[in-house]
Amino acid sequence: MFRAIPFILILVVAGCKKDAATPAGTAEPAAGAQTGAAAEPVKALPETLPDVLAKVNGEAVTRKEFEDYVRNLEGQAGRPIPADQRDRIYRGVLDQLVGYKLLLQEAKARKVVVADADVDARIAEVKKQFPSEDLFMQTLIDRKMTLEQIKADARRDLSIARLIEAEISQRVALKPGQAEDFYKNNPDRFTEPERVRASHILIAAENADAAAKAQAKTKAGQILKDLKAGKDFAALARQHSQDPGSAVNGGDLGFFAQGQMVGPFNDVAFSLKPGATSDLVETQFGYHIIRVAEKQPGRTVPLEEVRPRLDEYLKHQNRESETESFVKALRAKSKVEILV
């Protein structure tokens, strides 16, 4: 699927994330992930890339543009592109860059206008992602960019967005029965596993030596005795628990599904009845005392409950499909030369 290169990718790594939520919270495959049948072999790219990788109606796709895109993808992923996926991902990047050039050229041909005020508003949105104006400007310096450069990038991105909107806006509405058909044909996407709401008190002993572990276990054991004597669980969690994320909430962890917690903790939590308190549970983090507040059985989420998110998801899919078709049509009437 084509995605134009948002200029904010130069500054922040969130620019490639999708906006639409998947139905019932089901995650989509990560970028570059393979699903279904094995991916078709792709032509290898040379280890040293040339200065120009492709031409789009005579306009070059440069190595610098390509490397900037790859660097931002790696920043988003938090790791380098795996060597065994290099050629496939690089080919996808090159395809994205070709599509970007095609859209930008078409926006220019149609004389799409972007007002200065809209560019300024876009820059203001980016600045909000930084703690201060000084840090924003320092980031520009670190990236060897100027404010005028990112304004120019913002103008290009906005012109492409407006071109796409004008071209496909009438074709992205849901078709009659589309949501119902998707719901019927994808039952696994609308199931929720059994969930538990639990609280815990943790006495930490991660990476502790034998003496420190024994001391932590003794302290946890005394807290367990206090609970059995009738003391308030939430109050003891706030006073003693060494899990900073939950201690302030009286140990409350909220709801979690099977497999979300480490093994021993998970097994005990799902074995307890609502209102019951565990004995000491040892994990790699230390010693826990767990109290289960509520259990929810697994279920299939009714269509009407999930419909708002499903409609949003399907509109997003429609938009991506129509955008891809638009780019393919532009490519079919253009001269695209892939030089690697």
Side-chain angles (χ1 to χ4, degrees), residues 261-312:
M261 300 297 181
V262 293
F265 191 108
N266 179 87
D267 294 345
V268 171
F270 279 89
S271 69
L272 292 172
K273 295 180 179 179
T277 301
S278 72
D279 291 324
L280 297 187
V281 178
E282 183 178 0
T283 72
Q284 65 262 45
F285 302 108
Y287 296 94
H288 309 257
I289 304 168
I290 304 168
R291 175 168 290 179
V292 169
E294 184 180 352
K295 283 188 173 182
Q296 291 182 345
R299 64 169 185 149
T300 298
V301 184
L303 174 59
E304 290 314 307
E305 182 178 329
V306 78
R307 184 182 288 275
R309 293 176 64 197
L310 177 57
D311 287 352
E312 178 189 0

Side-chain angles (χ1 to χ4, degrees), residues 92-260:
V93 168
L94 185 54
D95 192 57
Q96 297 272 310
L97 286 165
V98 167
Y100 180 79
K101 297 283 188 183
L102 288 167
L103 286 169
L104 190 57
Q105 290 172 2
E106 186 69 12
K108 289 178 180 178
R110 297 192 190 187
K111 296 181 171 59
V112 176
V113 176
V114 177
D116 291 344
D118 294 331
V119 173
D120 291 340
R122 189 73 179 99
I123 300 298
E125 288 178 14
V126 177
K127 286 183 178 181
K128 288 179 182 177
Q129 300 182 48
F130 292 83
S132 67
E133 178 84 12
D134 288 345
L135 183 57
F136 170 76
M137 296 306 298
Q138 185 58 51
T139 303
L140 290 185
I141 294 169
D142 293 343
R143 296 283 183 169
K144 297 181 172 59
M145 296 187 69
T146 66
L147 188 57
E148 291 308 311
Q149 284 176 317
I150 67 165
K151 283 186 176 182
D153 287 344
R155 192 179 300 277
R156 285 190 286 267
D157 293 340
L158 288 168
S159 70
I160 287 176
R162 291 182 181 181
L163 168 69
I164 292 173
E165 185 64 23
E167 180 67 26
I168 72 171
S169 60
Q170 301 302 313
R171 303 197 297 273
V172 299
L174 293 185
K175 300 171 181 62
Q178 185 177 356
E180 289 78 5
D181 288 345
F182 188 94
Y183 182 85
K184 178 181 177 181
N185 294 328
N186 297 275
D188 291 347
R189 292 195 175 212
F190 303 97
T191 59
E192 288 183 348
E194 179 186 10
R195 300 196 307 162
V196 163
R197 182 176 183 178
S199 299
H200 81 139
I201 298 170
L202 168 66
I203 303 303
E206 188 175 10
N207 301 320
D209 59 23
K213 284 186 69 173
Q215 186 177 6
K217 186 175 183 179
T218 298
K219 181 176 180 179
Q222 182 56 55
I223 294 170
L224 184 60
K225 289 180 182 179
D226 291 341
L227 286 168
K228 290 180 177 180
K231 289 193 175 181
D232 181 70
F233 190 101
L236 288 173
R238 280 190 284 268
Q239 181 181 356
H240 296 292
S241 182
Q242 293 169 331
D243 174 14
S246 67
V248 294
N249 298 316
D252 189 4
L253 294 165
F255 280 99
F256 53 89
Q258 278 275 16
Q260 283 187 251

Side-chain angles (χ1 to χ4, degrees), residues 3 16 28-34 73 76-77 79 85 88-89:
R3 250 181 231 103
C16 287
E28 286 205 280
Q34 298 182 33
L73 285 181
Q76 184 190 10
R79 60 187 176 92
Q85 297 183 40
R88 182 175 57 81
I89 293 175

